Amino acid sequence: GNFVEPGATMDILAELIADAGSRGMSMREMGRKATGFHMMSERDRRDVIKRLGDIFDIHSAKLKTGPRGGRPTTVYIEGRYIKERGRD
């Protein structure tokens, strides 16, 4: 079947987000780069994101929009970079 191991996907995401540094990583990028992530149920995805926060200090932050406005992008980013950028 298409069962995805959330733990393995979480480790991959933690590494990808760490590599993204202060840029962080959007949900869409996470789905593209960690194959398992977009195949997960909404519940599993939420669970993985919660665990990323608990275990790896990775949290969501809103990216300020450009001069044209639009909706702010939510990115997932390591806690140490959030402090640098200031949280909304």
Side-chain angles (χ1 to χ4, degrees):
N2 256 358
F3 180 72
V4 176
E5 173 44 52
T9 302
M10 184 179 66
D11 292 342
I12 292 166
L13 285 172
E15 209 167 295
L16 288 168
I17 293 167
D19 289 347
S22 62
R23 213 172 45 78
M25 194 172 229
S26 70
M27 225 12 161
R28 191 159 160 255
E29 276 179 291
M30 286 156 63
R32 277 205 315 261
K33 296 197 174 157
T35 7
F37 193 65
H38 75 276
M39 293 184 341
M40 284 182 185
S41 70
E42 189 65 37
R43 207 186 89 214
D44 282 348
R45 246 184 281 192
R46 270 201 306 269
D47 191 48
V48 163
I49 284 173
K50 184 190 176 309
R51 284 162 62 194
L52 281 172
D54 295 345
I55 300 168
F56 297 99
D57 190 32
I58 289 171
H59 306 280
S60 64
K62 294 251 189 281
L63 268 188
K64 305 247 185 305
T65 53
R68 290 197 318 240
R71 285 178 49 201
T73 307
T74 299
V75 293
Y76 290 86
I77 188 171
E78 288 187 305
R80 60 195 168 125
Y81 297 115
I82 292 176
K83 289 168 196 67
E84 281 171 24
R85 291 173 47 169
R87 250 189 142 144
D88 294 337

